[in-house]
Amino acid sequence: TTVEYVEVAFDVDDGIELFGGTVNLRYVSLRCNGDDSLDADNGWQGKAQFIFIVVCKNGTHEEDRYLIDKAFEFDSNGKGFDLEP
């Protein structure tokens, strides 16, 4: 599966979060999202190409709980590093 031409802006949580699998991303704009802009866990094995990220200095909202964490967060599968999707 390929997901193309997506924009996520000023979201409270992650811009895009992938839970494993092999989905590919192309032409993605992630601007001022509340947590990580692109977050992948559980051993995601897809590809990302042409990703544009803007991290806002003070978060997307005035409240401290919405301050931005990171542009990227990639975690593996804690149950085994050689598992296949």
Side-chain angles (χ1 to χ4, degrees):
T1 302
T2 299
V3 177
E4 297 181 319
Y5 302 102
V6 175
E7 179 175 49
V8 180
F10 304 100
D11 187 31
V12 175
D13 197 9
D14 299 314
I16 292 178
E17 186 165 8
L18 304 162
F19 295 94
T22 59
V23 66
N24 296 317
L25 304 173
R26 292 184 63 183
Y27 309 110
V28 176
S29 173
L30 302 168
R31 300 182 312 122
C32 302
N33 292 297
D35 193 10
D36 308 303
S37 292
L38 180 57
D39 187 347
D41 347 43
N42 297 321
W44 173 64
Q45 295 186 17
K47 300 174 184 172
Q49 186 177 26
F50 309 116
I51 308 300
F52 175 74
I53 295 175
V54 174
V55 177
C56 293
K57 183 176 181 181
N58 294 321
T60 60
H61 300 278
E62 294 179 12
E63 298 178 36
D64 288 343
R65 64 186 173 136
Y66 295 118
L67 291 178
I68 287 179
D69 190 12
K70 306 274 187 300
F72 299 97
E73 178 182 346
F74 292 94
D75 300 314
S76 189
N77 188 328
K79 295 179 182 177
F81 295 107
D82 54 352
L83 297 175
E84 295 189 21

